[in-house]
Amino acid sequence: MAEFWRWKEYNWKDPDKDWKTAKMITAGIDVGSVSSQAVIATDGELYAYSSMRTGSNSPDSARKALEWALQDTGMKQENIQYVVGTGYGRVNVPFANKAITEIACHARGANFMAGNSVRTILDMGGQDCKAIHCDEKGKVTNFLMNDKCAAGTGRGMEVIADLLAVPIEQVGELSFNVPEEPEPVSSTCVVFAKSEAMGLLKDGWTKSKVLAAYCLAMAKRVSELLERIGVEKEFFITGGIAKNAGVVKRLEQVIGISAVQSKYDSQLAGALGAALFGQALLQKEKAAGKVA
Amino acid sequence: MLANYGYKDGSGEYFVTIDTDKCTSCPHHGCIDGCPEHIYEMITDDYDDNVSAVRRDVRNTLKYLCAACKPTTGRGVLPCMAACTPGAITHSW
């Protein structure tokens, strides 16, 4: 049976960089509720990364993500001088030197990815959603998290993609294939939204129209979170949902502010921030003479 | 950072907010002994700063623990807020 929610796992390394010449090699492991990312940074620059689905075992997921990021680099885990774990499974990264909350790591990662003028970050994760305020250094000044429901998160989108038999990567694009914007579906709960979507399909709505209604519902739900904390420019979106144009464009319309674009993969923000924290902590330890 | 500790239920929202940027410059940490219920503790945060936080084991019972300092009438300044010289502590209710 096809699994339409299943997004493609991937890894990457910078072919122009030689890690052997780097003075500092650090890694960030973001074990999220749905996906895990490993980022390897050399001298504070992105060198390699991987992104894969989190399994039932967090230490295993962390290990596999790092192994995949290291693949074809010639680098071994022993070459990494400092590892920071983050995300929902951060305390279960067995080889991490330190665990740091994903809120702090996303802010630091967003600061690197989209520049130091970013003040508001929306982290649209697998099973939660956070609105974060930060300063010019990427330090968190305030944040808000969604209530206890997967509506407005990546998992909610996966459920709808599966119901409609639409590959998750195509959801955003397909949702624009409507003559006019429909009313949003229920945004209180994913289960209610799914029931409502099934009813709409039976009423003769096209898949695109249902997707448009769901994307709009998601945009409205997260906009409430943003309104509570306030949106200060510049605004940046991290997490997997940032790749869904159907939600991002509608959210931009609802709040009246465009999100900053970045050349980096939005899903890496947490792990990248963790690797950058690792860099700073390693520098601190070196300065204190704790490590060579 | 504004660190919020607490919860909301059917009766309202019960959050203690600590502005940790103010904590880092505070040499006294008066909150630790200032609270009669000892709900505060010092922790090292994500930025390696020594800041005050609400103890994990009391975060879901703040409504009841703080009730003694919040009489319906004649409510003065809360002891924790009075003890916090940088003014980092606020209560949502």
Side-chain angles (χ1 to χ4, degrees):
Chain A
M1 192 182 139
E3 292 173 310
F4 294 95
W5 55 265
R6 194 174 279 281
W7 38 269
K8 204 176 165 201
E9 299 177 329
Y10 49 90
N11 67 345
W12 174 89
K13 70 162 184 167
D14 189 335
D16 302 325
K17 282 201 183 93
D18 179 10
W19 64 267
K20 287 174 187 152
T21 60
K23 288 188 182 113
M24 281 196 256
I25 303 173
T26 58
I29 316 287
D30 182 357
V31 182
S33 55
V34 168
S35 70
S36 294
Q37 286 81 30
V39 162
I40 300 163
T42 51
D43 295 329
E45 290 292 325
L46 185 61
Y47 170 66
Y49 63 75
S50 70
S51 178
M52 61 199 302
R53 240 183 139 76
T54 300
S56 56
N57 182 320
S58 292
D60 243 17
S61 300
R63 217 172 282 122
K64 281 180 185 166
L66 184 60
E67 276 170 15
W68 207 24
L70 288 170
Q71 200 177 43
D72 301 329
T73 61
M75 190 192 287
K76 293 204 166 72
Q77 199 182 311
E78 303 87 79
N79 298 119
I80 301 171
Q81 294 156 288
Y82 206 100
V83 180
V84 171
T86 188
Y88 143 94
R90 63 183 174 275
V91 292
N92 293 320
V93 179
F95 44 89
N97 299 76
K98 191 171 179 174
I100 295 179
T101 63
E102 65 273 26
I103 300 154
C105 289
H106 270 267
R108 180 67 70 92
N111 180 271
F112 180 92
M113 291 163 83
N116 59 10
S117 55
V118 168
R119 292 290 177 276
T120 308
I121 300 143
L122 181 67
D123 167 25
M124 298 185 76
Q127 285 187 17
D128 68 23
C129 184
K130 302 174 197 85
I132 306 165
H133 272 179
C134 69
D135 63 15
E136 72 285 353
K137 289 178 185 160
K139 188 178 177 183
V140 178
T141 52
N142 196 4
F143 76 95
L144 265 180
M145 200 163 160
N146 66 324
D147 289 334
K148 306 173 194 77
C149 180
T153 70
R155 184 60 198 144
M157 190 55 87
E158 288 181 355
V159 167
I160 295 295
D162 227 20
L163 171 74
L164 300 177
V166 172
I168 191 88
E169 289 90 352
Q170 295 172 21
V171 164
E173 202 182 314
L174 259 181
S175 74
F176 292 119
N177 203 6
V178 286
E180 61 178 40
E181 280 289 291
E183 283 295 307
V185 293
S186 162
S187 64
T188 316
C189 163
V190 171
V191 178
F192 291 165
K194 190 179 172 186
S195 310
E196 198 177 335
M198 285 166 77
L200 294 170
L201 284 172
K202 287 192 181 92
D203 284 347
W205 281 37
T206 61
K207 285 182 183 180
S208 292
K209 197 172 172 184
V210 175
L211 285 175
Y214 189 73
C215 287
L216 183 59
M218 191 181 259
K220 288 203 168 173
R221 182 165 171 117
V222 297
S223 74
E224 286 166 15
L225 197 67
L226 283 167
E227 274 163 21
R228 276 168 64 197
I229 197 169
V231 188
E232 288 175 32
K233 278 190 173 181
E234 300 285 336
F235 168 57
F236 186 59
I237 307 175
T238 63
I241 294 286
K243 296 175 182 173
N244 183 325
V247 176
V248 173
K249 293 284 171 215
R250 288 178 175 91
L251 176 62
E252 288 175 340
Q253 279 168 8
V254 172
I255 63 172
I257 295 175
S258 295
V260 179
Q261 300 299 312
S262 168
K263 63 176 180 174
Y264 297 101
D265 181 345
S266 61
Q267 233 171 326
L268 297 178
L272 180 56
L276 296 174
F277 263 113
Q279 164 97 1
L281 290 163
L282 181 61
Q283 263 170 349
K284 210 170 170 183
E285 288 197 359
K286 281 191 173 184
K290 287 184 189 168
V291 288
Chain B
M1 184 178 87
L2 294 174
N4 300 297
Y5 301 97
Y7 58 97
K8 63 178 177 180
D9 61 19
S11 64
E13 296 194 1
Y14 307 98
F15 288 96
V16 172
T17 302
I18 302 173
D19 186 343
T20 56
D21 290 334
K22 290 180 178 170
C23 278
T24 52
S25 58
C26 172
H28 310 298
H29 306 305
C31 55
I32 304 297
D33 295 323
C35 171
E37 293 290 341
H38 302 289
I39 69 165
Y40 300 99
E41 65 177 349
M42 296 307 292
I43 60 159
T44 304
D45 72 1
D46 287 341
Y47 303 98
D48 260 1
D49 290 325
N50 202 26
V51 299
S52 174
V54 173
R55 275 171 32 217
R56 188 174 286 274
D57 58 319
V58 301
R59 287 178 196 170
N60 291 336
T61 49
L62 291 178
K63 175 185 172 182
Y64 307 102
L65 287 173
C66 297
C69 296
K70 298 182 180 215
T72 314
T73 55
R75 176 168 153 178
V77 180
L78 295 174
C80 60
M81 290 173 70
C84 175
T85 45
I89 298 172
T90 49
H91 286 227
S92 69
W93 78 109

